[in-house]
Amino acid sequence: MARFIYNRETCAYEPYKVRGKALRNRIILLLSISLILASGGYITFLNKSKPLDLLEIERENTNLKTAWLLLNFQLEENENKLKAYAEEDDHNYRVILDATPLSNTERQAGVGGVIRKTKEMEHYPLISTIFDKALHLNNQLTVQNESFDELQKLLDKKLKQWASRPAIQPIDNKDLVRLHTTYGMRLNPVLKIWTPHKGLDFTASTGTPIYATGDGVVQDAYYSDSFGNVVYIDHGFDFETRYAHMLRFIVNKGEKIKRGQVIGYVGDTGRSAGEHLHYEVLYQGSQINPINFFQRDLNNKEYKKLLELAKTENSSLDY
Ligand SMILES: [Zn+2]
């Protein structure tokens, strides 16, 4: 918009024109304002474009390297822990469970992580190395995990096998009068001839409890002319036991039995020449010497006494 100024000489308003010094001052003022505005714009521009700052990058790099070292250290710690598990697995658990240690090839063959390395990672050796290390650890963990699963199954089977094994005496030591007849040749008390005796005779008072010597299933419980009241237990894993001449039995065919469970009482039934238990252990259908299974519940002194008792008498109570 045009400006007017009052002229005293002409007594009229005339258009105002800037000239000389005023004009120069006005130009300087305009230039200054322009410069200030331009500088502000430039600063804003600089702030928005985030220029590369080498110091900042170096600092960032150092921080990343430190983080990498810590990550690497953590991975190595985990690798060492896993190695300790593998050692325990091979030299401890597998020895106890009669299992072959895993070969190096088996241990290295694990396939683990679903995350794959990207091509870009190959450009950064440190990242690439640590990724490989983590993947290897993942694979090793998979192998170890599978191995522990296998060991757990083996252990369950072994525990069942150990519980099933005829491993205790069928008559408590406090009730045992004597181990009348050993396993082997013995003199028949009626026929007076030497015949093989395929079990052990435990002399004990009538009514003394008879214990199942391992977990199993009652295969048969009945009265026979020779064995009298007799119980047959199938322990699985090719083992069976027989308990003869009982006063009575208190289990039925097909019943599940636990080791130490009372299955009947000492008597004198069948072809028996006195109150006693005739006890047999069979492995794969043939009688074996039961005395080899008693170590578990006898101390050395008791076991020695049992062997001595067994040596002194070799006539038989069953005929
Ligand atoms: Zn006998």
Side-chain angles (χ1 to χ4, degrees):
M1 192 202 282
R3 285 180 67 192
F4 291 86
I5 193 162
Y6 183 73
N7 189 337
R8 290 175 190 270
E9 290 170 5
T10 58
C11 296
Y13 283 95
E14 292 172 356
Y16 175 74
K17 289 175 184 169
V18 184
R19 291 187 184 88
K21 201 177 175 183
L23 180 64
R24 196 192 67 203
N25 287 342
R26 180 64 60 88
I27 290 169
I28 288 172
L29 180 68
L30 279 174
L31 279 175
S32 301
I33 290 169
S34 301
L35 195 64
I36 289 165
L37 286 175
S39 303
Y42 183 62
I43 287 165
T44 310
F45 166 77
L46 284 183
N47 282 340
K48 282 188 178 167
S49 66
K50 289 190 180 169
L52 296 179
D53 182 334
L54 280 178
L55 276 176
E56 185 69 25
I57 289 171
E58 274 171 12
R59 199 161 41 238
E60 184 88 4
N61 229 355
T62 310
N63 287 343
L64 284 174
K65 275 181 185 167
T66 309
W68 183 92
L69 281 172
L70 288 173
L71 190 60
N72 193 48
F73 177 75
Q74 188 65 54
L75 270 180
E76 279 172 4
E77 279 274 288
N78 290 338
E79 273 173 354
N80 288 336
K81 274 184 196 167
L82 186 60
K83 258 184 211 162
Y85 284 137
E87 283 278 310
E88 193 103 322
D89 179 331
D90 283 345
H91 303 297
N92 210 345
Y93 304 144
R94 283 183 181 265
V95 172
I96 293 169
L97 295 168
D98 289 330
T100 320
L102 291 184
S103 69
N104 207 31
T105 322
E106 284 170 308
R107 286 212 173 269
Q108 299 305 319
V111 181
V114 287
I115 301 167
R116 294 279 168 260
K117 195 162 33 174
T118 61
K119 275 186 182 176
E120 286 70 27
M121 282 186 191
E122 301 285 1
H123 301 308
Y124 305 98
L126 284 181
I127 299 289
S128 181
T129 312
I130 211 160
F131 184 89
D132 290 343
K133 210 177 240 188
L135 185 65
H136 186 247
L137 184 63
N138 196 348
N139 294 348
Q140 302 292 286
L141 271 171
T142 308
V143 172
Q144 190 54 60
N145 206 26
E146 283 168 3
S147 174
F148 280 149
D149 281 349
E150 186 198 339
L151 286 176
Q152 184 62 53
K153 280 179 195 152
L154 271 174
L155 179 64
D156 291 344
K157 193 183 166 193
K158 285 279 177 191
L159 285 176
K160 199 177 168 202
Q161 200 171 347
W162 287 330
S164 303
R165 213 173 159 88
I168 61 167
Q169 260 181 225
I171 299 288
D172 199 314
N173 256 1
K174 69 173 170 53
D175 299 323
L176 185 64
V177 175
R178 68 191 304 179
L179 188 69
H180 198 95
T181 313
T182 54
Y183 184 88
M185 297 302 285
R186 59 87 161 107
L187 189 64
N188 186 299
V190 175
L191 303 172
K192 300 292 177 194
I193 51 165
W194 289 86
T195 49
H197 183 243
K198 293 184 171 181
L200 292 178
D201 288 346
F202 294 88
T203 304
S205 310
T206 297
T208 299
I210 299 168
Y211 304 101
T213 55
D215 291 3
V217 176
V218 177
Q219 204 178 353
D220 229 328
Y222 68 108
Y223 180 85
S224 93
D225 288 340
S226 57
F227 273 163
N229 287 318
V230 63
V231 171
Y232 289 35
I233 295 179
D234 181 359
H235 299 278
F237 307 99
D238 296 328
F239 280 101
E240 288 167 55
T241 49
R242 293 173 181 173
Y243 313 77
H245 310 302
M246 287 181 174
L247 173 70
R248 62 190 175 97
F249 47 78
I250 55 168
V251 289
N252 299 306
K253 188 175 175 175
E255 193 175 326
K256 278 192 177 175
I257 298 294
K258 291 305 242 182
R259 175 184 291 148
Q261 183 178 333
V262 176
I263 54 169
Y265 301 95
V266 171
D268 186 22
T269 57
R271 276 161 41 186
S272 169
E275 52 190 9
H276 81 289
L277 166 74
H278 171 89
Y279 173 65
E280 289 182 8
V281 174
L282 289 88
Y283 180 66
Q284 293 184 338
S286 300
Q287 282 89 348
I288 51 172
N289 193 345
I291 209 157
N292 298 324
F293 292 87
F294 296 151
Q295 290 96 327
R296 282 181 62 141
D297 59 339
L298 295 180
N299 61 37
N300 285 346
K301 203 175 160 189
E302 286 171 325
Y303 187 60
K304 214 170 161 188
K305 191 183 161 196
L306 188 72
L307 289 177
E308 276 166 10
L309 272 172
K311 271 184 202 163
T312 53
E313 183 69 58
N314 238 356
S315 65
S316 173
L317 284 174
D318 32 42
Y319 58 93

